[in-house]
Amino acid sequence: MPAKVYTEKDANPAVLKDKTLAVLGFGSQGHAHALNLKESGYTVIIGLYEGSKSIPVAQEKGFEVVTTAEAVRRADVIMVALPDTKQPAAYQKDIEPNLTKGKTLLFSHGFSIHFKTIVPPKNVNVIMVAPKGPGHIVRRQYTEGKGVPSLIAVYQGGKAAKQIALAWAHGIGGTRAGVIETN
């Protein structure tokens, strides 16, 4: 059976409308997701460590920048857009102590979850939204009214988590090109 390809009609953007979205990191994927989501009408904050060279860059783009811990405290959906090597320490120090029931952790690929360098509590959603291209392409395609094909996955959280993943993929332009669910 061929894979179902999700498009814009399959996503419900309203799922994220009254939520605060945090992007932790403002590198290749982080900046693209943050800018695309902001331009899609969502409330987006950026979480960075003190002294990060990305703070002025994110502020110039009009984002409120707060510490990683504060971003996790304030957000409903938290994208961990940090390098894989930095994720476990940031998770222990700033993310895990501020996660509460019902929040959603989002990754752009499955390394930290698959290899268990991060083991999230059972009371949070854990999803992946993975555009199949580097951040600058995700951004450029979005600004041109197109999108980059993306994968979504739900590690835990069921149907509600899948709706969040589809809405996020919609917000970054992925559903314009097509989204496929994986595990």
Side-chain angles (χ1 to χ4, degrees):
M1 188 164 107
K4 165 133 178 70
V5 178
Y6 295 94
T7 61
E8 293 195 292
K9 69 178 176 14
D10 299 304
N12 178 6
V15 167
L16 298 178
K17 276 297 179 216
D18 296 325
K19 301 204 179 319
T20 297
L21 313 180
V23 176
L24 309 181
F26 205 70
S28 177
Q29 286 293 330
H31 91 281
H33 285 247
L35 286 164
N36 293 3
L37 289 162
K38 182 177 159 197
E39 289 176 19
S40 289
Y42 297 113
T43 302
V44 182
I45 59 174
I46 306 299
L48 295 168
Y49 63 88
E50 269 183 59
S52 167
K53 292 188 292 267
S54 296
I55 292 171
V57 180
Q59 288 171 330
E60 281 169 27
K61 300 284 186 190
F63 288 102
E64 179 184 0
V65 180
V66 296
T67 64
T68 302
E70 180 65 16
V72 175
R73 268 193 293 279
R74 286 179 43 192
D76 302 291
V77 183
I78 301 117
M79 178 187 191
V80 183
L82 306 169
D84 292 325
T85 54
K86 304 239 189 275
Q87 287 184 14
Y91 181 78
Q92 277 189 317
K93 178 179 178 277
D94 295 320
I95 300 171
E96 187 175 37
N98 296 296
L99 271 181
T100 52
K101 181 180 180 182
K103 290 187 185 253
T104 299
L105 277 179
L106 184 148
F107 296 85
S108 62
H109 64 87
F111 185 90
S112 292
I113 297 298
H114 180 78
F115 290 104
K116 297 189 176 5
T117 60
I118 291 177
V119 180
K122 291 287 179 216
N123 64 356
V124 300
N125 298 322
V126 180
I127 60 176
M128 179 183 78
V129 178
K132 302 323 300 165
H136 68 279
I137 302 291
V138 172
R139 179 70 184 138
R140 189 175 76 223
Q141 290 288 299
Y142 179 90
T143 62
E144 293 173 3
K146 298 181 238 164
V148 172
S150 301
L151 297 174
I152 61 166
V154 175
Y155 178 73
Q156 63 189 40
K159 187 174 180 179
K162 181 176 177 178
Q163 293 307 312
I164 292 168
L166 279 169
W168 188 288
H170 182 276
I172 64 168
T175 53
R176 295 173 180 172
V179 172
I180 296 173
E181 189 172 7
T182 185
N183 59 17

